[in-house]
Amino acid sequence: MTSLAERLARPEIVALEPFDIAANNAFAAPDAIKLDANENPYPPLVEGPLARSVNRYPEPQPAKLKAALAALYGVQPDNLVITRGADDAIDMLIRAFCRPSVDAVAICTPSFSAYGHFVRLQGARLIEVRLNDSFDFDADAFLGAVSGEENLKLAFICTPNNPTGNEIDPALILKIADALPETIVVADEAYLDFSDTTSLTPEAARRPNLVVLKTLSKAFGLAGARVGCAIGEPDTIAIAARALPPYPIPGPSVDAALASLAPSRRSIHVERIARIKADRERIAQRLATSAIVRTVRPSGGNFLFLQVDDAEGLAHRLRSLGIRVRFRPNAAPGGVRVTIGTDAENDALLRAFGVDIETSPHRVAEVVRDTRETQIAVAVDLDAASPRKVDTGIPFYDHMLDQVAAHGGFSMVLTCDGDIEIDPHHSIEDCAIALGTALAKALSDKRGIRRFGFKLPMDEAEAEVLIDLSGRPYCRFEGEFASTAIGDYPTQMTPHVFRSLADSMGAAIHVKVEGENDHHKTEACFKAFGRALRDAIRCEGDGLPSTKGVL
Ligand SMILES: *Cc1c(COP(=O)(O)O)cnc(C)c1O
């Protein structure tokens, strides 16, 4: 029985023999002598990770990345095909299914400009359906516009919609798919990570006429790597993938995507997305007070669509201030689209709109640190008390680092994926190094920073910590522990942690601890360190607390 995709696909695609890939490295034994693909045997003359294997052709559909994306989106690997960004997935679908001049594609306007571009490139027919005045998707109007269309192969629906930001109820997209069983409905979810709408991936995985597009460009910060995918029922995906070139995904992009999707990175991605969403709402409220702005559209993306009286004039004026925003006179004439940026970028935007800013930029840092033993990502914000999320794999150590952040009064998101099945040593030490590096980075020029100490009793135990963020690492630890471990945490690691912190922060740290109970003593050290840090990092004016003028 032929699948829906086979019936809808261009006859050339159905007849096409799969590309005979000589360099299919996936099937080569690791020690095979590879003389089959006319590759250059010598690595390229570049430094760093690129040098590793880029002289060889990449796997056409890298299995590890496919598994990681399938896990991320909650589908099976054969439900997805990796493409060079979601752009390439759009092109792939149109080339696989649309005969020039004969077949048609329906899109909404205003929406993402790539749909129309690739339809024209293929010479297919374009049916444009305007969103209503408030940019809502009107399913009945959409069905009305395509009714009687014999060769409607694809219908693209973008949710949240670019550039207007509105989310489209997934039930309406399913209604379109139900009403058009001989058309592949493509839900473009490039921005769904920033919205509260549910994804259609589970539906796409089982419906032959529904495909979902995803990308790592927006939510995962990998626009330059060009990694996206199309998700659908395996037959649909297999037919569509025939339109791809033999090696669509460059090896360095695969490495970048895999590193970014590693479990240790997950919580920082979640926090970044939450932060962009919160910034979007805050900026929307502020911009709504600007005399220039008529309406700020509600948005489920990492951007806002502003309706203004003179969009073109505004875009030009912003450009002259060094701020680029998106203005498309033909598709969305009455508005400009602005992306949510960093604190400093957002502040510059608000200032350009004549909105008062009273926030001062937060001292933040993100550090990633990977070795063969541990993969760590840590984010700190010295000017926010939350979120605090620590996952080192060693529960007692999580508790200790959380004490540092809680008593230090700063936000810490730290995840470590380490070789704790061998020994907790690497994870404990490397987390301390990564955390110290992040703190040093967040403090940057150390303006307004004091030297400080704190003495803290905890039941019978007492700990004293002195800190000088001097730029000169030095650690002194006085204290003994009677037991070898607290849970999975070896007590002898405590002096080690403070040494690692002193080295990576460029700080003098003196710790003195006395008492009976090792749990109390250890906890008192970390709490006192947090307290001392709280005072040492507090901003007081912008004078440097050293006669040398530089720390
Ligand atoms: C940015 C964008 C894409 C393309 O993303 P890439 O993966 O970078 O090609 C697809 N769809 C929409 C709606 C977009 O805005």
Side-chain angles (χ1 to χ4, degrees):
M1 209 181 74
T2 54
S3 65
L4 174 73
E6 252 175 303
R7 274 193 287 118
L8 296 186
R10 283 167 51 208
E12 299 88 335
I13 289 280
V14 177
L16 196 65
E17 293 282 334
F19 195 89
D20 177 17
I21 292 170
N24 206 333
N25 295 326
F27 300 121
D31 54 353
I33 297 171
K34 275 196 93 285
L35 302 177
D36 56 351
N38 295 351
E39 295 152 334
N40 192 303
Y42 309 112
L45 296 172
V46 294
E47 257 198 299
L50 255 189
R52 202 152 22 95
S53 58
V54 92
N55 56 318
R56 301 291 176 191
Y57 281 104
E59 255 183 281
Q61 283 289 304
K64 267 194 204 158
L65 181 56
K66 219 170 176 174
L69 289 169
L72 178 67
Y73 298 127
V75 296
Q76 297 302 313
D78 64 355
N79 288 125
L80 70 84
V81 55
I82 309 171
T83 54
R84 214 164 24 206
D87 279 352
D88 199 29
I90 297 166
D91 186 35
M92 167 191 79
L93 288 163
I94 293 168
R95 283 189 296 117
F97 290 103
C98 297
R99 292 164 293 178
S101 310
V102 178
D103 293 325
V105 178
I107 67 170
C108 302
T109 61
S111 191
F112 187 43
S113 50
Y115 313 136
H117 175 82
F118 288 122
V119 170
R120 291 184 194 100
L121 190 60
Q122 178 68 0
R125 292 182 300 119
L126 188 63
I127 300 171
E128 296 181 90
V129 189
R130 280 213 82 77
L131 297 172
N132 73 15
D133 288 343
S134 48
F135 302 123
D136 286 326
F137 177 75
D138 182 337
D140 294 324
F142 192 87
L143 290 174
V146 300
S147 79
E149 185 56 60
E150 294 257 309
N151 294 311
L152 183 71
K153 294 296 179 66
L154 298 165
F156 285 92
I157 303 173
C158 184
T159 177
N161 190 43
N162 176 5
T164 54
N166 51 303
E167 294 144 336
I168 292 166
D169 182 352
L172 292 183
I173 299 175
L174 293 178
K175 179 177 165 176
I176 301 288
D178 285 339
L180 302 174
E182 295 292 310
T183 299
I184 293 178
V185 175
V186 185
D188 185 342
E189 295 187 347
Y191 299 99
L192 198 91
D193 310 73
F194 302 102
S195 107
D196 300 322
T197 311
T198 46
S199 172
L200 283 169
T201 49
E203 289 288 336
R206 59 170 177 264
R207 286 186 182 229
N209 79 326
L210 181 66
V211 168
V212 168
L213 304 185
K214 294 284 191 181
T215 172
L216 300 185
S217 295
K218 312 300 177 14
F220 288 85
L222 283 173
R226 314 302 304 124
V227 182
C229 63
I231 294 173
E233 197 259 336
D235 283 337
T236 308
I237 290 301
I239 289 284
R242 294 190 184 186
L244 287 179
Y247 308 103
I249 318 297
S253 294
V254 176
D255 292 346
L258 278 173
S260 191
L261 295 177
S264 63
R265 308 317 197 226
R266 185 72 200 147
S267 48
I268 292 188
H269 282 305
V270 169
E271 286 313 320
R272 279 183 177 181
I273 289 168
R275 180 193 177 126
I276 288 173
K277 287 168 75 172
D279 286 347
R280 176 186 71 204
E281 298 314 310
R282 181 175 58 81
I283 293 161
Q285 279 177 11
R286 296 291 189 76
L287 286 175
T289 68
S290 166
I292 309 167
V293 178
R294 257 195 299 125
T295 326
V296 183
R297 306 293 317 175
S299 172
N302 62 340
F303 58 86
L304 290 166
F305 189 70
L306 314 175
Q307 290 175 293
V308 297
D309 287 328
D310 176 12
E312 182 164 19
L314 175 65
H316 279 125
R317 198 174 66 78
L318 290 173
R319 189 178 268 253
S320 71
L321 295 171
I323 301 172
R324 293 176 61 153
V325 299
R326 190 85 161 115
F327 168 62
R328 283 172 55 213
N330 298 328
V336 296
R337 187 193 70 196
V338 295
T339 309
I340 305 302
T342 62
D343 280 348
E345 290 167 342
N346 297 336
D347 284 354
L349 179 82
L350 289 172
R351 251 182 262 116
F353 276 85
V355 178
D356 282 341
I357 326 277
E358 75 282 347
T359 57
S360 58
H362 286 200
R363 295 168 297 168
V364 296
E366 289 176 348
V367 166
V368 291
R369 189 177 189 280
D370 293 342
T371 64
R372 247 177 313 191
E373 287 118 11
T374 59
Q375 291 195 315
I376 298 169
V378 52
V380 295
D381 182 342
L382 302 185
D383 300 300
S386 65
R388 295 192 336 257
K389 266 202 260 172
V390 181
D391 181 7
T392 64
I394 305 140
F396 182 76
Y397 191 43
D398 291 351
H399 181 44
M400 293 303 100
L401 293 183
D402 185 58
Q403 294 291 323
V404 171
H407 288 272
F410 60 90
S411 155
M412 180 198 303
V413 177
L414 184 150
T415 310
C416 172
D417 191 7
D419 59 351
I420 45 175
E421 68 288 352
I422 297 175
D423 190 86
H425 186 115
H426 296 138
S427 291
I428 294 171
E429 177 174 357
D430 292 354
C431 285
I433 296 170
L435 174 60
T437 308
L439 288 171
K441 198 170 157 194
L443 289 164
S444 60
D445 73 356
K446 305 189 183 71
R447 234 156 240 292
I449 286 153
R450 297 196 292 161
R451 298 161 172 176
F452 210 79
F454 203 87
K455 205 165 179 167
L456 182 135
M458 190 167 168
D459 299 346
E460 88 303 337
E462 179 183 288
E464 183 181 50
V465 174
L466 304 174
I467 300 183
D468 178 8
L469 298 168
S470 58
R472 295 183 305 281
Y474 189 89
C475 183
R476 211 169 79 193
F477 191 96
E478 286 177 42
E480 302 287 333
F481 298 102
S483 49
T484 53
I486 306 165
D488 288 340
Y489 177 86
T491 49
Q492 61 172 359
M493 288 307 290
T494 301
H496 212 78
V497 165
F498 286 104
R499 185 158 9 102
S500 298
L501 284 165
D503 287 346
S504 54
M505 288 173 72
I509 301 177
H510 295 194
V511 183
K512 212 190 291 182
V513 64
E514 294 174 349
E516 302 292 322
N517 179 300
D518 282 349
H519 185 132
H520 293 162
K521 284 159 70 183
T522 307
E523 187 158 345
C525 290
F526 281 96
K527 273 187 176 167
F529 176 69
R531 281 285 157 182
L533 202 54
R534 179 191 209 100
D535 288 313
I537 64 181
R538 185 183 296 154
C539 270
E540 291 190 339
D542 39 50
L544 283 168
S546 163
T547 50
K548 289 186 196 155
V550 58
L551 278 180

